[in-house]
Amino acid sequence: MNSRVGNLPALSTSFVGRQSEVTEIRTLLQATRLVTLIGSGGIGKTRLAVEAAAVSAHAFPDGAWLVNLAPVQRPTAVPGMVATALGVPDLGTRPLMEQLGGCLARRRALVLLDNCEHQADACAELAKALLSAAPEVRVLATSRRTLGLAGEHLVTVGPLPPADAARLLQDRATTARSTFTADERQRAEIARLCADLDGLPLAIELAASRLHTLTVAQVAERLEDRFALLTGDSPTAAPHQRTLRATIGWSYELCTPAERLLWNRLSVFAGGFALDAAEGVCAGDGIAPHEVLDLLDRLVDQSVVLTTDCDGVLRYRLLESVRQYGWEELASSGQTQQFRARHRDFFLTIARCVDTDWFAGGQAERLARLRADHPNLLVALDYDADPQARLALAGALIFHWCVGGFLTEGRRQLEAALAQAPEPTLERVRGLFAAVWVAQTQGDLAAADRWLDEAEPLTQRLGDPVQLPRADGFRGVSAHYRGHPQESVALYESAVAALVAAGDEREATSWRLALACVQAYAGDPRAAQSCGELISFFEASGERWGRAQVLMALGHNAWAVGDPEATKELARSALENMRGFNDHAMVARMLELLAWATSNSGEHARAARLLGAAEALWRNADTSIGAFGPWVAEQHAHCAKAAADALGREAYAQALAEGGRRNSPGQAIPYALSSDRTSAMPAVPAKALTRRECEVAELVAMGLSNRQIASRLGRSPRTVGGHVQNLLAKLDFRSRAQIASWWAANQKPTRGSTP
């Protein structure tokens, strides 16, 4: 984490009123560790919390992090949602709550737990654990009820006062209709309307969205009719709840039939969704596929659907109160099961495509998509009407679990799906092998062996020509991890030969990769040819994840045979290929290699900084260098001692701490690459660049393409390309990688990143 770190959204609408509450919350966060905003639905708790977190962010150098808990359906999923929001990989065997505490233990960060009320006990348990493990962490929560923890400070969020409510309505009305103005008579009507809406921000937003076609008086009149109709509804509900429900219901009634259908169907999504998901799940039975985008735009105009930018991709979401209304309407139509099944099947198709096309390139982007849809994946997996489909989804998400950093969640989901679908099917074989991979990645070889012992005879009984060789492959993984490389090589070779004969090139490539890497680690003379062939294949397809593994394995081999310069170049190349991935453990291993070779060149301060970054990633991954064998741990200790002896204990500790601030792959990779080339970096100050060029340079350093940068900045790809060319000319560089390295070495990031 570093300055201006975090994931707070860049909101497109202005913040109106509540300045005294913002000041109060900011003051409380300086003096206390847990602040909870209490208030009814639609009262504006989330918007207030985000604003207070944003103005307090400078006090938290390790980031302000928003965790939306509205999609969470089970208490056990709360820690996972927090880890996802913070970018903390779930890679260890310890409970995820402990992993989160360990990751945040040395951080000064603000964690914003939003929408806690339906999982209040689980949120309270998590907040207590985080505050206990991380003394510099602050928690800001929003809820309709207190968390009930000692030391919890409550801030009651009430309706907007009349003046602020009127300002909010006028501000949003101007957005809806640029020509909107308010004379004295209209100001009186605005005041009456805001009073009728009880000063509820969400109700005001919904009402204001109608002012592009109706006058204030007409909106007020129609809402009064709606309130009259609902006077008998839910007599035990609080007045604000009745007002909000009436306003949402009125907005619903003003929608066209097609808009209502889409609103209902969108309620099956959790946390947000992309356009293709809306089209894939919601089209049909009254909505043509080509109509979905237009209907979405109309719902956005009416403040029913909100938009957000996620890594250059436009995503949509519904506020929880709005989503719940649509869900009730969907249930009343008797279509809940139909659209939950569509939702599950859509994400099953996505997961299978990621699995099938894994070596075709674009892996980081695919994993980012799955990460953004993680709440939807959990909802889809909770739909257990068809146990075989649930098992298929859990197994197809194997790269999301193992490479995307969700091992504990993946294991839980696979165990549950396997228990629910015990039939001896091919889907069970796939699920068992997925569970084996997860357990092996966690280092739990005993559990992996148990699942293998079930899967192997089942594959033999079913006789599937693709699944049979996978048993040999996974046996080879266990042999490798137990220190038997020759046995591993033989098993991998058997798997590759059988899969080639079966005609499954995708699966054969997986085990070719495993074979080439173990040959390189073992010093097998065939490694150079095996690795070279794979690298050529991966370069042709644009694949980077497997390429990075091969380069790292060759780097270890180069170090073992005493070639530090080759080690350094191979480690650099491996790191370049890991841009955009969130694999903490793999990047840490590459940093270790680079540190050893750098120390060998006498650059002990740089080596110490690289070790510090690696150690931070080890901690985040809930593992250590020792997990990869005694030889690797010995090399780490030797490098650390050489650096400490050369620098002195105090300077070594400072260098280690400096590197440790780069505690995510997104920060550590450009830092490591730039630190090796610092002497060659031109001392071009930021003032020599325009503000836009600085923004583009930072986004290039984050690994974004011209198209993604264009989407982020609201410019055309051609314009962004011009900025990149200007940067190359001013800095006298030839590649984007040099821009990224220069930025990491010379500038302070201004955008969010992961811890």
Side-chain angles (χ1 to χ4, degrees), residues 451-622:
W451 279 315
L452 268 174
D453 289 342
E454 178 186 350
E456 199 163 21
L458 181 55
T459 58
Q460 291 168 350
R461 190 195 325 173
L462 296 173
D464 185 270
V466 172
Q467 300 305 320
L468 278 168
R470 297 183 75 198
D472 277 348
F474 284 114
R475 294 286 185 197
V477 174
S478 290
H480 182 196
Y481 288 174
R482 288 189 168 105
H484 306 299
Q486 297 311 317
E487 180 185 349
S488 178
V489 166
L491 287 164
Y492 288 156
E493 288 175 336
S494 172
V496 169
L499 287 163
V500 169
D504 193 321
E505 187 58 33
R506 148 69 180 79
E507 193 66 30
T509 300
S510 292
W511 299 110
R512 283 197 189 97
L513 172 59
L515 174 61
C517 288
V518 76
Q519 286 175 337
Y521 285 120
D524 190 310
R526 296 171 294 176
Q529 180 177 347
S530 299
C531 291
E533 290 173 353
L534 267 180
I535 288 174
S536 296
F537 173 76
F538 289 151
E539 286 179 344
S541 67
E543 198 279 350
R544 293 192 290 119
W545 177 76
R547 197 184 337 172
Q549 290 193 66
V550 174
L551 291 165
M552 179 173 64
L554 288 172
H556 275 275
N557 181 259
W559 180 255
V561 300
D563 190 345
E565 286 306 309
T567 301
K568 191 182 293 188
E569 274 309 307
L570 287 162
R572 287 174 181 158
S573 296
L575 285 165
E576 286 279 8
N577 279 282
M578 285 303 292
R579 288 185 184 273
F581 289 96
N582 196 39
D583 193 329
H584 287 56
M586 191 184 295
V587 173
R589 293 171 66 187
M590 296 169 184
L591 292 173
E592 288 280 349
L593 263 180
L594 191 54
W596 306 346
T598 300
S599 177
N600 189 81
S601 302
E603 300 171 280
H604 297 294
R606 291 183 190 171
R609 289 193 292 269
L610 291 168
L611 288 179
E615 289 179 1
L617 296 183
W618 293 128
R619 286 194 298 270
N620 286 353
D622 192 37

Side-chain angles (χ1 to χ4, degrees), residues 52 130 139 145 164 235 262 335 372 414 498 568 617 638 661 699:
L130 292 187
V139 173
R145 50 176 281 203
D164 287 342
L262 185 60
Q335 294 183 310
L414 284 162
K568 191 182 293 188
L617 296 183
H638 176 77
R661 289 195 289 271
L699 293 170

